[in-house]
Amino acid sequence: MDRPALPVDAVLPELADALRARDAVVLVAPTGAGKTTRVPPALLDLVGPGRRVLVAEPRRLAARAAARRVALERGVAVGGEVGHAVRFDDRTGRDTRLVYLTLGVLLRRLQDD
């Protein structure tokens, strides 16, 4: 899939460097800049193999849509490398490294941990 450039693409290397140097970084960008679809996949290289990147979304629709979009951009099926976990619908598997999930699912996972 041909991906148009988004504003956040220009700062991804700087963001990665900042995360290597610090425990946390705050990224402020306008809607549509690519925070949801470009930053999480870029973080996969930073966390290393066998680890997951979790992206909390406020609504089920947003989590599903973001997972579909990123999976499409990466040329994979939802439930493989990229998945989503929302109430009554968990499309993740053993190989899922990037998970878009609702805040409710995230809170439940934290309580169960």
Side-chain angles (χ1 to χ4, degrees), residues 14-48:
E14 183 181 348
L15 178 65
D17 290 342
L19 284 168
R20 284 186 194 97
R22 297 172 191 82
D23 290 333
V25 174
V26 176
L27 175 65
V28 178
T31 302
K35 297 180 301 290
T36 299
T37 58
R38 299 292 170 84
V39 174
L43 296 178
L44 287 177
D45 293 333
L46 294 176
V47 300

Side-chain angles (χ1 to χ4, degrees), residues 1-112:
M1 172 181 190
D2 186 29
R3 293 180 356 161
L6 294 176
V8 79
D9 291 337
V11 300
L12 287 177
E14 183 181 348
L15 178 65
D17 290 342
L19 284 168
R20 284 186 194 97
R22 297 172 191 82
D23 290 333
V25 174
V26 176
L27 175 65
V28 178
T31 302
K35 297 180 301 290
T36 299
T37 58
R38 299 292 170 84
V39 174
L43 296 178
L44 287 177
D45 293 333
L46 294 176
V47 300
R51 310 250 345 240
R52 285 185 167 180
V53 172
L54 303 179
V55 183
E57 292 291 336
R59 292 175 186 73
R60 286 182 261 182
L61 181 63
R64 286 188 192 114
R68 277 193 310 268
R69 177 65 185 187
V70 172
L72 179 66
E73 287 185 356
R74 295 179 71 81
V76 299
V78 173
E81 179 188 44
V82 179
H84 68 258
V86 300
R87 189 174 179 196
F88 305 124
D89 185 15
D90 187 335
R91 302 262 320 260
T92 61
R94 187 187 53 158
D95 298 328
T96 305
R97 295 192 57 227
L98 178 56
V99 182
Y100 289 88
L101 66 170
T102 56
L103 295 170
V105 170
L106 177 61
L107 289 174
R108 189 171 64 241
R109 286 184 180 190
L110 290 172
Q111 288 174 336
D112 291 344

